[in-house]
Amino acid sequence: MNESPLTIENLTFQYHRRFEPAIENITFSLQAGQVMLIAGSSGCGKTTLMRCINGLIPHTYQGAMSGSICLFGKSVTGMGLADISQTVGTLLQDPERQILGSYVLNEVAFGLESLGIPRDEITPRVEKALDRLGILHLRDRETFGTSGGEKQKIALAGVLAMEPKILLLDEPLASLDPASAQEALQAFRQLADEGIAVMIVEHRVEDVLSIHPDVFMYLDEGKMVYLGDTDGLMDVVDYRRIKLPARVVLERARQDPAPVFVPAAKSHSGEDAELLRFEGVHFQYNENDPEVLKGLNFSVNAGDVIAILGHNGSGKTTMVKHALGLLKPTKGRVLLEGHETRKMTVAQAAHTVGYVFQSPSQMLFAATVHEELSFGPKNLGFPVDTIDKNVNWAIDTVNLKSEMDMPPLALSFGQQKRISIAAILAMRSRILMMDEPTAGQDYWNYQAFMDAILQMPGFDAVIFITHDVDLAVIYANRILLVYSGEIVADGKPQEVLKDEKLLRSCRVLPTSLLKLNMEYLPRTGRFFRAETLAHIQS
Amino acid sequence: MLVTWRYRLRNGLMEKFDPRARWIFSLAFLFAVTMFWDARFLLFFFIIAFAWYFSSRAKWKETRRGWYLIGFILFMMIVINTIITGGGAGGVVPPGGHLVWPQGGTFPLFDWHFHFGLTWERLWFAICQVLRIGGISAIFLIIPYTMDPRVYGVTFRGLGLPDRFAYSMELAFRYVPTLARDFGTTLDAQRARGYEIERVKGGIVKQIIRIAPLIVPVTMNSILTGEDVTNAMDLRCFGTRPRTWLNKLTFHWQDYALIGFSIFMLVGAVIAIYGFHIGNFWVPYFWLKLAE
């Protein structure tokens, strides 16, 4: 009799020192060749469920566990992490957190080395895993120098080389550009077709639907709300909490009132309208390295809400770091309110530009959220009453007022991300720049804070880097499309995003929302979210 | 993610040796040189060290940051600890000696008189320190620039350390550039919030509080990285069985020659010091003549 690769019955787990179970009474089984998609908002228990399956719970994370987990009919109770790891391969959310080897060959070989496989067997198995994912050409490259998409595949190859029967993927698309995400998904589907049971935890539900998952599980507050096929999920899931295909949202949102969204930043003319200008900006990190930026020319004006789109490693982050003077051009110049950034300190530039870094753990340090949010305004020399006012406004914007006295580092990743955004909001700079503001955030939360930020008066311009095309569709009034250090398109979203061929050449893929907006464009004249389109007469 | 030192193959003479032989040579050099305070011996070691260093073909531009740090440490050790306080010379330089300013001196403008106990012997000791620390620095500073990161772990395994310890050494080696990268990122993130490290002033407690925005995130990131690395290793069965190391190291004739030279150097140093009682602190005659 063929046993299911994975069978879970009444699984409940409560972390040590927590008062509520992280997951409760989870029961399901996963068959060979199936793709299972698990979705839910932040803190719903997705990652805990994965940890229970791959053995990190209870081996690394302690707590009270009940119920059973069986791999091919054999209970994992009493199995060592190494035994589990030979059956269950895990790809963590951020490949950077998983990669150990300094070179690709060594990284992919790591698990095989640990298992004591003879040396002459390791290299062929590594090459097979790399070839399976189409990255054999990276074999002798340094892992550090590879792009985000390549790192994802390298980490996956490291797991596949161990020939697991079950593959757990924890938000595998979070740091990938749209084309890389699609390639990764195709690779997961292919692995399932080859007989591996694949379990994907992902916020980007719509993307995963493109590979037709066989089973869908929806978790809410640690409980399994839905388990079944993907057709059924459209009826049970709240479209405001999980991002569903635009046409589904369009149909379901007709019954609800139309959302009200009025962006605050207003364009105006005059001497102070131009805030930032790049003039022939070239940049390379070292003189022997290739150029990262290749002659950028553009300006940012009051009223601009700019989305910067481009592939992993295209130079987007390097570009915005120039605006604040964190990097100086090797050729050309950057002017901030008419002053060259080369002649300013970063602290001076921070009065005009607020820059939210990608990872919150790189900046959070204070004992309380209030102190964290006061840090920037204090550095800029704001009076005490202004600081208090700004801090209160910022914390309201990210909807975390209840955590004001908590240490920021004790909050969840999603909350830390919002605190890092609030810390910059409190500085009330004229330009707000955000690097991947929605990465690792659930759909509900990121829409809520993007709505709040863009509707609050105070910023003359907002710039955000994103891989989420829908974020650009909904919020931007201008798009910069970047490819290999050059701006290949700069204009209104409806002008830039209509050229599908150009988008694909820049590894940006059209989404269902973009396609829907293109249909409605003759009537609307601009892009809207699906909920708004639902109330436009067809 | 742990990063590595910026290594590139330079085809220098040094790279023709097996990394295990290089470590044996470096450690033998360290133990041998630390036995001596005689400048004649130290000069011999100094020349060997820099001949070895230059055989790497590393450029000044690549290693200058390391040298600046060593220069700063040397300055603190020699100027403050040896020349000003004399503490660093304790136990090596005999008490007494020839004072550089036997009559003392007077500060111009203030007309303050001072007695400064600096001796010519202590000054010579300072020169010995430069030779000794300079030589050791040249031997060890060059390692990360010239050793392929792929062989860090297997090198320590080949030197007889257990698998776990050998891999820990590899991780420790890579921790230094990773820490530098994390520090740079956090500094940028805080500068973007108007923080200026140049403006950190006040007493020691106040200064520590003021650098918390840098220290706390870097420390927290180090802890998180440590946890990530442990999880990633656990999930790929690390430490459960004897490990196969993908990269294989093989000794060649030049490695045996280097190891032989290393043993000769170390044994020779032991015999010189303990057998013939030579190599202890010595001041040349011409130097003492300067005191007169």
Side-chain angles (χ1 to χ4, degrees):
Chain A
M1 180 182 139
N2 283 338
E3 295 280 1
S4 292
L6 175 67
T7 311
I8 291 182
E9 283 179 11
N10 295 319
L11 182 67
T12 298
F13 180 78
Q14 184 172 332
Y15 285 100
H16 186 52
R17 292 184 186 163
R18 294 281 172 89
F19 302 109
E20 298 286 331
I23 49 172
E24 223 174 326
N25 290 324
I26 306 288
T27 298
F28 71 95
S29 66
L30 183 62
Q31 307 302 324
Q34 280 190 329
V35 173
M36 174 187 250
L37 169 60
I38 303 179
S41 44
S42 297
C44 71
K46 305 184 296 282
T47 302
T48 302
L49 177 59
M50 281 215 161
R51 285 175 181 164
C52 289
I53 299 168
N54 65 24
L56 284 178
I57 291 175
H59 291 96
T60 305
Y61 300 93
Q62 310 296 316
M65 189 156 109
S66 63
S68 71
I69 303 171
C70 292
L71 300 176
F72 292 97
K74 193 177 167 194
S75 171
V76 297
T77 310
M79 281 170 82
L81 201 51
D83 297 322
I84 298 173
S85 298
Q86 285 176 69
T87 306
V88 181
T90 307
L91 187 68
L92 300 175
Q93 182 179 344
D94 181 356
E96 293 224 348
R97 296 173 62 186
Q98 183 155 4
I99 290 176
L100 296 162
S102 45
Y103 281 75
V104 173
L105 178 66
N106 297 71
E107 163 56 26
V108 179
F110 187 89
L112 303 175
E113 290 178 303
S114 300
L115 290 171
I117 305 288
R119 191 178 287 124
D120 53 359
E121 283 180 33
I122 291 179
T123 308
R125 277 177 71 170
V126 168
E127 288 175 348
K128 189 179 158 199
L130 290 170
D131 194 32
R132 202 170 178 183
L133 298 171
I135 51 166
L136 187 55
H137 60 284
L138 299 177
R139 181 186 180 277
D140 297 311
R141 288 262 303 273
E142 274 190 89
T143 48
F144 178 63
T146 53
S147 72
E150 287 171 340
K151 281 192 181 88
Q152 181 74 269
K153 288 183 182 173
I154 291 163
L156 181 59
V159 174
L160 291 180
M162 295 173 74
E163 298 176 352
K165 304 288 181 289
I166 302 165
L167 192 57
L168 307 183
L169 307 161
D170 191 359
E171 295 192 37
L173 312 181
S175 54
L176 300 186
D177 62 49
S180 298
Q182 208 42 241
E183 286 165 12
L185 285 167
Q186 294 305 327
F188 304 151
R189 180 77 256 179
Q190 192 192 332
L191 292 170
D193 293 344
E194 289 170 15
I196 295 177
V198 178
M199 196 167 152
I200 306 175
V201 166
E202 187 53 66
H203 285 308
R204 290 162 71 170
V205 171
E206 190 197 350
D207 290 335
V208 185
L209 290 178
S210 68
I211 58 163
H212 310 294
D214 305 280
V215 191
F216 179 85
M217 182 194 288
Y218 181 54
L219 288 175
D220 189 27
E221 294 183 348
K223 296 184 184 75
M224 199 166 72
V225 176
Y226 177 78
L227 180 71
D229 59 23
T230 47
D231 293 336
L233 96 96
M234 304 297 174
D235 301 324
V236 293
V237 170
D238 183 349
Y239 67 87
R240 283 163 294 223
R241 296 208 164 264
I242 296 289
K243 192 168 154 191
L244 299 175
R247 284 192 188 283
V248 175
V249 178
L250 187 82
E251 291 307 319
R252 291 186 48 192
R254 288 194 208 280
Q255 287 86 43
D256 298 325
V260 179
F261 175 71
V262 185
K266 297 271 187 288
S267 59
H268 62 84
S269 53
E271 280 182 5
D272 62 341
E274 186 182 87
L275 301 167
L276 176 69
R277 183 159 23 122
F278 277 56
E279 286 182 356
V281 172
H282 291 255
F283 181 76
Q284 55 191 134
Y285 282 95
N286 289 299
E287 62 184 63
N288 297 325
D289 293 345
E291 274 196 332
V292 182
L293 303 180
K294 301 166 186 167
L296 302 185
N297 287 293
F298 71 96
S299 57
V300 176
N301 300 305
D304 280 346
V305 179
I306 300 176
I308 303 176
L309 299 175
H311 60 92
N312 290 113
S314 60
K316 303 183 294 294
T317 300
T318 305
M319 185 166 106
V320 296
K321 280 186 173 177
H322 274 78
L324 190 59
L326 287 168
L327 295 172
K328 314 285 185 198
T330 40
K331 210 160 80 185
R333 59 182 192 155
V334 177
L335 298 166
L336 192 58
E337 293 187 297
H339 305 286
E340 204 177 328
T341 54
R342 209 179 258 121
K343 295 170 185 162
M344 303 167 84
T345 65
V346 176
Q348 286 168 330
H351 282 276
T352 307
V353 180
Y355 178 35
V356 183
F357 273 60
Q358 211 167 1
S359 168
S361 65
Q362 289 162 347
M363 60 180 267
L364 301 179
F365 72 96
T368 64
V369 168
H370 187 276
E371 195 186 322
E372 189 73 56
L373 269 49
S374 309
F375 178 70
K378 266 186 196 164
N379 287 331
L380 299 184
F382 287 11
V384 177
D385 53 341
T386 309
I387 292 174
D388 281 342
K389 205 171 111 195
N390 289 0
V391 166
N392 287 325
W393 168 75
I395 200 74
D396 279 340
T397 303
V398 297
N399 196 24
L400 282 173
K401 201 172 180 87
S402 58
E403 312 293 345
M404 197 66 134
D405 297 319
M406 286 288 286
L409 291 166
L411 302 176
S412 71
F413 176 81
Q415 289 171 322
Q416 284 185 17
K417 181 90 186 176
R418 282 186 275 156
I419 294 295
S420 69
I421 292 170
I424 302 302
L425 294 180
M427 292 162 63
R428 301 304 293 254
S429 316
R430 291 188 70 188
I431 307 172
L432 176 66
M433 294 195 309
M434 297 180 282
D435 196 346
E436 291 285 359
T438 61
Q441 298 284 303
D442 64 46
Y443 186 55
W444 170 269
N445 269 313
Y446 89 58
Q447 287 226 96
F449 77 69
M450 286 299 286
D451 279 357
I453 289 168
L454 293 172
Q455 290 184 105
M456 286 282 177
F459 297 111
D460 288 338
V462 177
I463 303 170
F464 56 92
I465 294 173
T466 187
H467 287 312
D468 185 341
V469 176
D470 285 352
L471 203 69
V473 168
I474 295 171
Y475 295 105
N477 60 22
R478 185 177 158 197
I479 306 261
L480 290 182
L481 190 59
V482 184
Y483 184 78
S484 290
E486 290 177 77
I487 295 173
V488 293
D490 176 1
K492 291 179 179 170
Q494 55 271 34
E495 291 164 0
V496 174
L497 298 178
K498 73 178 177 194
D499 189 343
E500 192 174 326
K501 198 174 160 196
L502 177 69
L503 293 184
R504 286 185 186 277
S505 71
C506 295
R507 301 187 62 77
V508 175
L509 304 179
T511 59
S512 62
L513 180 63
L514 175 58
K515 288 175 183 165
L516 192 65
N517 265 292
M518 292 309 295
E519 279 176 31
Y520 276 73
L521 194 60
R523 274 167 284 158
T524 56
R526 50 164 289 208
F527 289 169
F528 290 101
R529 64 190 77 198
E531 294 90 322
T532 308
L533 293 177
H535 296 275
I536 290 170
Q537 294 301 315
S538 52
Chain B
M1 179 181 172
L2 292 171
V3 295
T4 55
W5 297 85
R6 283 179 75 89
Y7 165 78
R8 64 183 176 85
L9 186 67
R10 297 176 180 81
N11 284 316
L13 175 68
M14 187 186 286
E15 285 162 325
K16 303 211 182 307
F17 292 99
D18 183 289
R20 292 167 296 175
R22 289 176 52 189
W23 269 108
I24 290 169
F25 168 70
S26 302
L27 293 171
F29 180 93
L30 175 70
F31 290 126
V33 79
T34 49
M35 290 184 213
F36 292 96
W37 277 117
D38 185 328
R40 292 165 295 188
F41 286 91
L42 291 174
L43 186 63
F44 165 73
F45 285 116
F46 188 81
I47 291 167
I48 287 180
F50 275 89
W52 180 247
Y53 176 86
F54 286 117
S55 78
S56 71
R57 294 189 180 174
K59 289 183 180 154
W60 163 247
K61 212 164 65 179
E62 295 171 276
T63 59
R64 66 182 169 194
R65 283 189 183 175
W67 283 115
Y68 289 153
L69 179 67
I70 289 161
F72 174 74
I73 294 168
L74 258 176
F75 176 82
M76 299 299 281
M77 283 177 72
I78 292 170
V79 175
I80 296 176
N81 206 25
T82 300
I83 294 180
I84 296 178
T85 68
V92 178
V93 180
H98 302 75
L99 288 169
V100 176
W101 289 286
Q103 317 301 325
T106 307
F107 280 114
L109 292 176
F110 299 99
D111 212 25
W112 291 337
H113 195 71
F114 67 86
H115 286 284
F116 188 26
L118 178 66
T119 61
W120 285 97
E121 285 80 357
R122 249 163 62 196
L123 273 178
W124 186 252
F125 177 78
I127 292 170
C128 293
Q129 276 186 310
V130 171
L131 291 173
R132 196 188 208 197
I133 298 167
I136 294 170
S137 303
I139 291 282
F140 285 94
L141 178 76
I142 203 64
I143 291 175
Y145 297 97
T146 54
M147 198 170 281
D148 189 334
R150 283 171 285 201
V151 299
Y152 286 169
V154 71
T155 300
F156 291 110
R157 181 72 188 94
L159 288 170
L161 300 182
D163 282 339
R164 275 178 180 272
F165 204 79
Y167 198 75
S168 302
M169 289 296 287
E170 170 168 343
L171 294 178
F173 236 68
R174 291 166 59 192
Y175 179 70
V176 178
T178 303
L179 191 68
R181 180 204 56 181
D182 289 350
F183 186 84
T185 309
T186 295
L187 182 60
D188 278 353
Q190 305 303 35
R191 286 165 74 206
R193 298 165 78 188
Y195 177 78
E196 289 177 293
I197 194 165
E198 305 82 5
R199 283 171 53 189
V200 174
K201 291 193 177 95
I204 188 80
V205 176
K206 206 169 177 185
Q207 284 198 33
I208 290 170
I209 292 169
R210 284 283 292 157
I211 59 168
L214 296 179
I215 302 301
V216 174
V218 171
T219 309
M220 289 306 294
N221 263 318
S222 293
I223 294 167
L224 292 175
T225 303
E227 195 177 320
D228 290 342
V229 168
T230 310
N231 284 347
M233 288 165 72
D234 283 346
L235 287 172
R236 285 195 280 165
C237 309
F238 181 79
T240 53
R241 322 184 169 169
R243 184 177 171 79
T244 307
W245 295 85
L246 182 62
N247 294 86
K248 193 178 174 187
L249 297 176
T250 312
F251 280 129
H252 296 96
W253 68 266
Q254 67 269 27
D255 304 309
Y256 292 116
L258 186 64
I259 292 169
F261 176 73
S262 305
I263 294 168
F264 170 76
M265 182 169 60
L266 189 59
V267 172
V270 171
I271 292 171
I273 289 286
Y274 297 105
F276 294 98
H277 302 288
I278 54 173
N280 294 315
F281 184 63
W282 162 85
V283 185
Y285 178 69
F286 82 87
W287 189 257
L288 292 176
K289 283 289 279 178
L290 291 173
E292 296 161 10

